[in-house]
C-alpha cells in the first residue's frame, strides 16, 4: 500500500516538473435562448462572459484546461394578442447569471511554425448565482391606450 501511494506521488511530482502551466484571462459573447414545447418561440438574448483559465500541458499535443467563468444567459420573449377590439402585448427579458466551471481536454496539431489547429471538448458544471426578469406591457382597449 505504501509503495502504491509513493508511486502515485512520484508520478504526480514528475508530471508537474516536466509539464507547462499557463494562465489566461478569457472573455466572450453568449447567444442564448430557450428551446422546447413550452418556450413560446423565445428569441436570442446576447450576453457576455468573463473568467480565468489554466492550461496544464501534458505533452506537446495534449493539455487539460480547467476554467471558471461568470456568464450571463437568458432569453427574450414577445407576445401579442388582438381579439374582440382588444390589443395587448408584452416584451419579457429573462436575465440569468451563472458561475460555470468547464474542464476541457485540448488536442493541438501543429500546421506550421507558430500555427496550431486545436480541438477542445469536455464537461462543465454551472451554478446559478442570480438573475431577474424585466417586462413591459402595453394595451389598446377600444381606443384607450396605455402601458403597464
Amino acid at each position: 500500500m505504501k509503495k502504491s501511494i509513493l508511486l502515485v506521488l512520484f508520478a504526480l511530482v514528475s508530471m508537474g516538473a516536466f509539464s507547462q502551466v499557463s494562465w489566461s484571462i478569457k472573455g466572450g459573447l453568449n447567444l442564448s435562448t430557450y428551446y422546447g414545447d413550452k418556450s413560446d418561440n423565445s428569441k436570442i438574448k446576447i450576453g457576455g462572459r468573463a473568467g480565468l483559465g489554466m492550461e496544464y500541458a501534458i505533452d506537446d499535443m495534449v493539455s487539460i484546461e480547467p476554467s471558471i467563468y461568470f456568464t450571463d444567459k437568458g432569453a427574450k420573449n414577445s407576445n401579442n394578442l388582438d381579439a374582440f377590439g382588444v390589443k395587448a402585448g408584452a416584451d419579457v427579458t429573462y436575465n440569468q447569471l451563472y458561475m460555470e466551471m468547464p474542464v476541457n481536454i485540448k488536442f493541438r496539431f501543429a500546421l506550421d511554425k507558430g500555427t496550431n489547429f486545436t480541438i477542445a471538448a469536455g464537461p462543465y458544471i454551472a451554478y446559478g448565482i442570480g438573475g431577474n426578469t424585466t417586462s413591459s406591457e402595453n394595451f389598446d382597449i377600444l381606443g384607450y391606450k396605455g402601458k403597464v
Side-chain angles (χ1 to χ4, degrees):
M1 181 69 172
K2 284 183 182 181
K3 288 181 183 180
S4 298
I5 293 173
L6 287 175
L7 182 63
V8 169
L9 287 175
F10 179 72
L12 289 175
V13 170
S14 297
M15 268 179 39
F18 292 108
S19 65
Q20 293 180 337
V21 174
S22 61
W23 295 88
S24 60
I25 297 174
K26 299 183 174 208
L29 292 176
N30 288 336
L31 301 175
S32 61
T33 190
Y34 297 144
Y35 292 102
D37 295 337
K38 307 227 183 235
S39 67
D40 293 332
N41 299 320
S42 295
K43 297 186 180 37
I44 292 175
K45 178 187 172 295
I46 297 174
R49 84 183 209 176
L52 179 67
M54 179 195 84
E55 185 174 354
Y56 179 80
I58 296 172
D59 61 23
D60 290 340
M61 188 177 159
V62 180
S63 61
I64 297 174
E65 185 179 39
S67 302
I68 188 163
Y69 293 108
F70 174 75
T71 185
D72 177 25
K73 295 183 178 183
K76 291 182 178 181
N77 198 333
S78 296
N79 290 317
N80 293 306
L81 169 71
D82 188 358
F84 307 108
V86 176
K87 294 180 183 177
D91 295 322
V92 181
T93 302
Y94 306 96
N95 296 303
Q96 299 168 320
L97 304 174
Y98 287 93
M99 193 62 77
E100 292 182 346
M101 292 159 278
V103 178
N104 289 326
I105 296 177
K106 287 175 80 172
F107 296 95
R108 182 176 292 114
F109 304 97
L111 298 178
D112 197 9
K113 186 176 182 180
T115 305
N116 296 316
F117 177 72
T118 304
I119 297 173
Y124 79 96
I125 60 172
Y127 182 75
I129 58 174
N132 65 4
T133 301
T134 57
S135 65
S136 65
E137 297 85 13
N138 55 57
F139 61 89
D140 180 350
I141 301 174
L142 302 174
Y144 179 73
K145 296 180 182 181
K147 289 191 174 210
V148 179

